[in-house]
């Protein structure tokens, strides 16, 4: 059968549509390839920036120095998770809540009993370790503070002793001397959890830790009566730990590194306030 003009027109239409599709496909392919390449470049760039940020953050974590958390990738991963609980810069300057009976008085009867710190607040960083990164104490300041710690224990041997901080695992700490209840508990249990309730206020270890200092820059960590903690914040001597009330005790405080005799005197008064809160003992100066 011979093809009619109508059939010829049909075949010509099919050829035109096929050729148009090929042209459109050839025009679309470079455009799709460009978008795919751009997307890959963006993803690689984003991952590279993320990797760089993690590396720099990990190096900063190591640079703060050793603390209660191991200076390892696993320790760093733990700190990254704890950051989800951490207080803001404003939050660490908010006093802890006080639900105590008025019969248990603070060490400082009024905030003004603690002199105003003359310098601006230093910057702090980290969680565990948590350290002061500006206005650090000199090597001599740190040595003087350590001597003051030891002297305080020596002058109060019946209620205070020095040791290795159970929070920090390596820095110098002050502890209450064991009570009969503590002795009985230690005789029964050789491997105790970090926080164990005994006859006195819970902090860390048995007998409980009163305070510890950081040999790297001279700051301290300790626990205070809520009103004393408020006075320390108000008078510029310290701040709450970022995990206070979230992971650590609500009254857990950082005290800024003392520089010079006047600041050291005030800081050791705060250490005595910590002993009052933890063990209801008044220490001889």
């Amino acid at each position: 059968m011979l093809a009619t003009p109508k059939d010829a027109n049909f075949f010509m239409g099919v050829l035109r549509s096929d050729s148009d599709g090929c042209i459109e496909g050839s025009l679309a392919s470079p455009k799709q390839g460009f978008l795919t390449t751009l997307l890959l470049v963006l993803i690689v760039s984003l991952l590279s920036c993320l990797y760089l940020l993690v590396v720099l953050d990990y190096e900063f974590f190591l640079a703060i120095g050793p603390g209660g958390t191991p200076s390892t990738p696993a320790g760093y991963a733990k700190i990254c998770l704890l950051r989800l609980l951490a207080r803001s810069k404003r939050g660490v300057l908010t006093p802890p809540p006080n639900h105590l009976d008025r019969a248990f008085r603070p060490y400082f009867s009024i905030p003004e009993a603690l002199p105003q710190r003359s310098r601006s607040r230093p910057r702090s960083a980290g969680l565990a370790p948590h350290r002061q990164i500006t206005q650090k104490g000199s090597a001599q300041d740190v040595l003087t503070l350590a001597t003051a710690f030891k002297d305080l224990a020596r002058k109060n041997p019946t209620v205070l002793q020095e040791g290795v901080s159970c929070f920090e695992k390596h820095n110098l700490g002050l502890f209450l001397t064991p009570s009969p209840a503590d002795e009985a508990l230690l005789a029964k249990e050789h491997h105790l959890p970090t926080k164990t309730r005994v006859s006195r206020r819970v902090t860390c270890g048995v007998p409980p830790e009163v305070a510890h200092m950081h040999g790297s820059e001279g700051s301290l960590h300790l626990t205070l009566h809520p009103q004393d903690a408020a006075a320390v914040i108000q008078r510029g001597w310290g701040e709450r730990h970022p995990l206070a009330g979230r992971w650590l005790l609500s009254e857990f405080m950082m005290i800024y590194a003392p520089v010079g005799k006047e600041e050291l005197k005030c800081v050791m008064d705060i250490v005595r306030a910590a002993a009052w809160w933890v063990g209801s003992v008044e220490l001889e100066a």
Side-chain angles (χ1 to χ4, degrees):
M1 182 183 293
L2 295 176
T4 63
K6 187 175 181 180
D7 293 333
N9 290 335
F10 171 77
F11 286 121
M12 289 298 294
V14 170
L15 289 174
R16 280 196 208 97
S17 63
D18 287 345
S19 62
D20 290 345
C22 291
I23 293 171
E24 289 176 3
S26 63
L27 290 174
S29 295
K31 185 177 180 180
Q32 290 175 349
F34 171 76
L35 292 175
T36 301
T37 302
L38 180 61
L39 181 61
L40 288 174
V41 169
L42 290 174
I43 291 173
V44 170
S45 299
L46 181 62
L47 291 176
S48 298
C49 290
L50 183 61
Y51 174 77
L52 181 61
L53 288 174
V54 170
V55 168
L56 292 175
D57 192 47
Y58 180 66
E59 289 178 351
F60 181 71
F61 163 71
L62 296 178
I64 292 176
T69 303
S71 299
T72 62
Y76 172 72
K78 176 184 176 180
I79 293 304
C80 288
L81 291 175
L82 288 176
R83 284 175 181 166
L84 300 175
L85 303 176
R87 294 180 176 277
S88 66
K89 294 297 182 184
R90 178 177 295 181
V92 299
L93 299 179
T94 302
N98 183 10
H99 305 299
L100 294 174
D101 190 304
R102 294 194 178 199
F104 193 90
R105 65 174 178 82
Y107 185 82
F108 300 110
S109 55
I110 55 173
E112 289 72 23
L114 184 64
Q116 182 71 41
R117 186 174 182 270
S118 61
R119 297 187 289 161
S120 62
R121 291 186 187 276
R123 289 178 56 207
S124 62
L127 297 178
H130 174 229
R131 296 291 184 267
Q132 183 175 321
I133 58 175
T134 60
Q135 301 182 21
K136 297 180 181 181
S138 67
Q140 184 58 53
D141 291 322
V142 172
L143 180 60
T144 302
L145 176 62
T147 301
F149 259 50
K150 294 174 183 289
D151 285 346
L152 192 62
R154 180 177 52 79
K155 292 176 181 177
N156 299 272
T158 61
V159 292
L160 202 64
Q161 63 185 8
E162 63 177 276
V164 177
S165 169
C166 65
F167 279 113
E168 291 279 329
K169 312 295 192 298
H170 58 91
N171 278 319
L172 176 62
L174 291 175
F175 298 78
L176 296 180
T177 52
S179 68
D182 295 335
E183 296 282 11
L185 188 56
L186 287 170
K188 183 179 179 181
E189 295 288 346
H190 297 291
H191 302 287
L192 295 168
T194 301
K195 297 176 182 177
T196 305
R197 180 167 295 281
V198 291
S199 59
R200 289 168 285 184
R201 201 169 297 280
V202 175
T203 57
C204 172
V206 178
E209 181 178 309
V210 172
H212 66 258
M213 58 168 287
H214 306 131
S216 58
E217 31 72 73
S219 66
L220 301 81
H221 281 134
L222 44 72
T223 313
L224 294 169
H225 186 291
Q227 285 180 237
D228 288 332
V232 163
I233 293 171
Q234 179 183 329
R235 309 300 281 176
W237 289 100
E239 61 190 52
R240 294 172 77 188
H241 190 286
L243 294 176
R246 307 284 176 82
W247 186 264
L248 299 170
L249 300 170
S250 184
E251 306 86 8
F252 196 60
M253 303 285 293
M254 166 181 269
I255 306 301
Y256 304 137
V259 174
K261 291 181 179 180
E262 291 303 315
E263 288 193 3
L264 178 65
K265 180 180 180 299
C266 291
V267 165
M268 293 310 295
D269 278 344
I270 296 171
V271 172
R272 283 186 279 276
W276 167 250
W277 170 243
V278 175
S280 300
V281 293
E282 294 199 54
L283 301 179
E284 180 186 341

